[in-house]
Amino acid sequence: MRFTKMHGAGNDYIYVDCFSQDVNDPTHTAKILSRPHFGIGSDGLVLIKPSNNADCFMDIYNADGSRAKMCGNAVRCTAKYAYDSGNRKSVIDVDTLSGTKSVELIRENGNVTGGRVNMGKPILNGHSIPTRFGSSIVKGESLSVDNKNYEITCLSMGNPHCVVFCDGVDSLDLSKIGPLFEHHEMFPERINTEFVEVKGGEELTVRVWERGSGETLACGTGACAAAVASVINGLSKKNREIKINLPGGTLFADWTENGDVYLTGPAVTVFTGETEVL
């Protein structure tokens, strides 16, 4: 199987061109290849497939083999892959399980270095995220995790997110509390959790625990969720590009007046290769 390893701010996936080859068991393939030391090592697997509605379809599988609907970092990398493979459009449309996302490519000296993605409108209805908090906006709700109460804000950016504003995010033991949030009974489809420290109205420091992958160096939808939650809680303003500092790099999110969230960040090819999946 031929593959390309790519990352967006350290959020790395194994990309397979399924225009020219098939992956018969993506769940097994994701679990085997994502393992560090024993596989290629990644946050998951992305299959780039033909689409009737867009330039390509992005099919994502987390490191544990579970299927994901959307990833803001992976969609930029998928668009870069399409461009590098011969689709020389300045805007690449990528179909996902959360709808079609348009990626405006950022180029330097003819090379794609990143992109700006219209991530669509956040889903704020508690049932639709989904959570078990009810149908209203989930803001300032109390969630008991490991005998500690956390004040949370929840939303969906094509996948479910729980945002916790706190100080000292660098010292948090995410390997302990992350799984407790992910599998909490209030989240019927599990949850991605962002722990957010406010540096100013237009700057946040964020660590992310992703369902199915654990702590990742960056999360595109998580960065968007942190920005939206910051606006909802009166910590930031709409129509302002918010700098999101993550362990793997920096992303920028902007919740515009028309309701759409835009995400800007890098897209980097690491290496290409061939592997056998047993």
Side-chain angles (χ1 to χ4, degrees), residues 19-152:
F19 281 76
S20 58
Q21 57 188 331
D22 294 322
V23 177
N24 294 324
D25 189 347
T27 294
H28 173 73
T29 301
K31 291 166 68 174
I32 294 299
L33 296 187
S34 296
R35 296 184 303 171
H37 308 300
F38 296 95
I40 297 168
S42 71
D43 293 321
L45 173 71
V46 174
L47 308 181
I48 304 174
K49 300 178 177 179
S51 169
N52 294 325
N53 307 312
D55 294 296
C56 58
F57 175 77
M58 179 179 72
D59 196 10
I60 311 173
Y61 293 82
N62 296 314
D64 69 351
S66 60
R67 200 178 193 188
K69 290 184 177 180
M70 178 57 190
C71 173
N73 292 315
V75 74
R76 294 195 312 275
C77 290
T78 297
K80 171 179 167 60
Y81 186 96
Y83 182 91
D84 291 345
S85 298
N87 187 340
R88 298 301 189 182
K89 295 166 61 177
S90 59
V91 177
I92 302 291
D93 293 326
V94 180
D95 198 10
T96 78
L97 292 178
S98 292
T100 299
K101 309 300 179 184
S102 295
V103 185
E104 181 182 348
L105 298 175
I106 298 171
R107 287 173 288 184
E108 297 179 10
N109 300 319
N111 297 315
V112 174
T113 59
R116 184 172 188 259
V117 189
N118 183 343
M119 299 286 286
K121 293 175 173 58
I123 296 170
L124 305 178
N125 179 284
H127 284 318
S128 301
I129 293 171
T131 74
R132 294 193 170 98
F133 284 105
S135 59
S136 61
I137 294 177
V138 183
K139 170 194 169 186
E141 291 284 353
S142 180
L143 185 74
S144 179
V145 177
D146 197 25
N147 297 317
K148 180 179 178 179
N149 289 326
Y150 292 85
E151 188 175 297
I152 64 169

Side-chain angles (χ1 to χ4, degrees), residues 112-253:
V112 174
T113 59
R116 184 172 188 259
V117 189
N118 183 343
M119 299 286 286
K121 293 175 173 58
I123 296 170
L124 305 178
N125 179 284
H127 284 318
S128 301
I129 293 171
T131 74
R132 294 193 170 98
F133 284 105
S135 59
S136 61
I137 294 177
V138 183
K139 170 194 169 186
E141 291 284 353
S142 180
L143 185 74
S144 179
V145 177
D146 197 25
N147 297 317
K148 180 179 178 179
N149 289 326
Y150 292 85
E151 188 175 297
I152 64 169
T153 300
C154 296
L155 63 136
S156 172
M157 287 302 310
N159 49 14
H161 290 272
C162 171
V163 180
V164 181
F165 292 98
C166 57
D167 294 325
V169 294
D170 291 337
S171 62
L172 291 175
D173 186 358
L174 251 61
S175 63
K176 177 183 178 181
I177 63 174
L180 300 179
F181 274 85
E182 178 183 354
H183 297 280
H184 198 283
E185 63 182 1
M186 294 303 291
F187 308 119
E189 294 181 9
R190 297 186 292 164
I191 201 80
N192 302 287
T193 309
E194 287 72 46
F195 298 88
V196 181
E197 186 170 351
V198 179
K199 297 298 185 180
E202 297 172 14
E203 184 173 3
L204 309 172
T205 294
V206 180
R207 288 176 67 191
V208 183
W209 183 270
E210 287 197 51
R211 60 175 183 174
S213 293
E215 183 175 10
T216 55
L217 294 179
C219 175
T221 56
C224 294
V228 170
S230 185
V231 172
I232 289 173
N233 285 276
L235 303 170
S236 303
K237 295 181 180 179
K238 274 190 173 183
N239 258 6
R240 300 279 183 88
E241 194 169 60
I242 300 172
K243 182 180 182 181
I244 314 291
N245 301 309
L246 298 131
T250 301
L251 300 173
F252 294 88

